[in-house]
Amino acid sequence: MNAIPTESPATTHDTAGTTGAELDLQREAITALGYELRALVDATVRTAAPTEVLHRITDEVRLLRGQLTGRRRTRAEIPAVDEFPGEIRMYSPVTGAGSPLAPPMQVTADSGGAVGRCTLGIAHEGPPGYGHGGMSAMLLDELMGRACIAAGLPGMTVSLQVRYRRPVPLETPLWVHARVTGTEGRKVFVDGSISTEDDPSAVVVTADGVFVTPDPDRTRALFPDLR
């Protein structure tokens, strides 16, 4: 679900006393760690290393995990490095530069919508050599939500209909497109598609979705940490 509140300005959490330069340095460090973690995940899902090597690496990763000390944020807490609502989501599983799960997709606003570019790796595999269908749905859900924002109609996903025309190839640059097609009260209707960069006219996945702008009371209930 792509959740975007509407009544509050973009905000970060617990950033009192933090300068813009310090925040930039923190994001750079998170981005660098995210890159290495994605490379580690890729190596992990590709490896044919013997059992003893896997056990040794497991012990080393466990030691590394122990170095991530300090307070851990709670489930609903907005990361200090994020802007929410906004476009900076460092740990998003779709666009987050700090996420070991994300492709990550690079998003730009387009007239009446949004465009994303990413490459799915072996960690996103469904059938051998092709992306998992759930990844396609997640890419589209994210970008369709961004299209709502670009149109000045931020909202939350309430319906997403995905049609798989052909398999999505891994390790192949992809284009993801989304645009708002209409509104009805608080409902926003959005279309989306995925194609390869080599052949953008050959659409491999399409979707249509309905997003709803939440009212202020619902927004406060869903996101109690939002100031």
Side-chain angles (χ1 to χ4, degrees):
M1 180 170 64
N2 191 331
I4 306 292
T6 60
E7 290 293 317
S8 302
T11 183
T12 54
H13 186 75
D14 287 342
T15 56
T18 301
T19 68
E22 290 170 337
L23 195 58
D24 287 342
L25 289 174
Q26 182 75 359
R27 287 172 177 159
E28 287 176 9
I30 290 169
T31 297
L33 178 58
Y35 176 87
E36 296 300 335
L37 288 174
R38 287 190 293 276
L40 177 61
V41 169
D42 183 74
T44 300
V45 298
R46 290 177 183 269
T47 188
T51 302
E52 60 271 18
V53 172
L54 297 178
H55 284 308
R56 176 171 57 80
I57 296 299
T58 298
D59 291 339
E60 292 175 0
V61 170
R62 187 179 296 114
L63 290 173
L64 285 174
R65 177 165 55 88
Q67 296 182 42
L68 293 173
T69 57
R71 190 183 71 83
R72 296 173 182 261
R73 65 183 175 96
T74 60
R75 179 181 65 86
E77 183 179 340
I78 300 169
V81 291
D82 278 9
E83 291 182 359
F84 184 75
E87 296 184 358
I88 299 179
R89 304 296 308 283
M90 294 301 296
Y91 302 110
S92 163
V94 180
T95 62
S99 171
L101 308 175
M105 182 165 64
Q106 304 295 315
V107 180
T108 56
D110 194 12
S111 56
V115 178
R117 185 182 186 277
C118 68
T119 301
L120 297 181
I122 300 298
H124 307 121
E125 188 174 58
Y130 298 97
H132 192 289
M135 286 301 304
S136 296
M138 189 160 64
L139 295 176
L140 286 162
D141 183 43
E142 175 71 23
L143 199 71
M144 291 162 78
R146 293 290 191 96
C148 291
I149 295 174
L153 300 164
M156 300 175 63
T157 317
V158 295
S159 174
L160 186 67
Q161 181 75 31
V162 182
R163 290 167 294 279
Y164 300 93
R165 297 187 176 185
R166 63 188 72 179
V168 177
L170 298 176
E171 300 184 320
T172 302
L174 303 173
W175 285 113
V176 189
H177 293 268
R179 64 183 181 90
V180 171
T181 58
T183 61
E184 182 183 302
R186 292 192 294 117
K187 293 182 179 180
V188 184
F189 303 96
V190 191
D191 283 351
S193 65
I194 300 175
S195 59
T196 64
E197 190 175 86
D198 289 341
D199 190 3
S201 64
V203 174
V204 295
V205 184
T206 61
D208 57 78
V210 181
F211 290 67
V212 169
T213 301
D215 60 51
D217 289 340
R218 181 61 172 160
T219 296
R220 284 189 287 271
L222 287 170
F223 309 105
D225 256 22
L226 188 65
R227 292 191 297 272

